[in-house]
Amino acid sequence: MHLPDVTIWSNQWGRYLQSAFETGGIIGLILAILLFIIGVTLLLPRPLADLSKGRLMKEISERNREFDEKYGNQNN
């Protein structure tokens, strides 16, 4: 639909960015990149901190022990 509006393919930015500039999609592209960065920044710090401090393994061990106490060890 917008392909006739694209007048040039070879430039310093490449085909994708050139087509985004010429069809008015650069605002959406920048917004998508910013939202992705914000989302990753909000979601990753806690799991990485828990993993690095060993809290996650302690919690798994504790839940495993509680399960074995409640339901018994089925491997015996």
Side-chain angles (χ1 to χ4, degrees), residues 36-60:
F36 174 77
I37 291 170
I38 291 169
V40 168
T41 304
L42 292 174
L43 291 176
L44 280 183
R46 176 158 181 184
L48 290 178
D50 287 349
L51 186 61
S52 66
K53 293 180 182 176
R55 287 189 215 159
L56 186 60
M57 292 306 294
K58 288 179 186 175
E59 186 175 336
I60 291 172

Side-chain angles (χ1 to χ4, degrees), residues 7 12-13 16-17 20 28-30 41 43 46 57-58 61 63 65-66 73-75:
T7 58
Q12 64 184 7
W13 300 105
Y16 183 77
L17 286 178
L29 177 65
I30 292 171
T41 304
L43 291 176
R46 176 158 181 184
M57 292 306 294
K58 288 179 186 175
S61 298
R63 288 185 183 184
R65 186 186 61 75
E66 290 173 3
N73 192 350
Q74 301 293 327
N75 295 332

Side-chain angles (χ1 to χ4, degrees), residues 1 5 10-11 26 29 47 50 56 67 69 71-73 76:
M1 184 171 171
D5 295 336
S10 58
N11 67 2
I26 197 67
L29 177 65
D50 287 349
L56 186 60
F67 180 84
E69 286 177 359
Y71 296 106
N73 192 350
N76 292 337

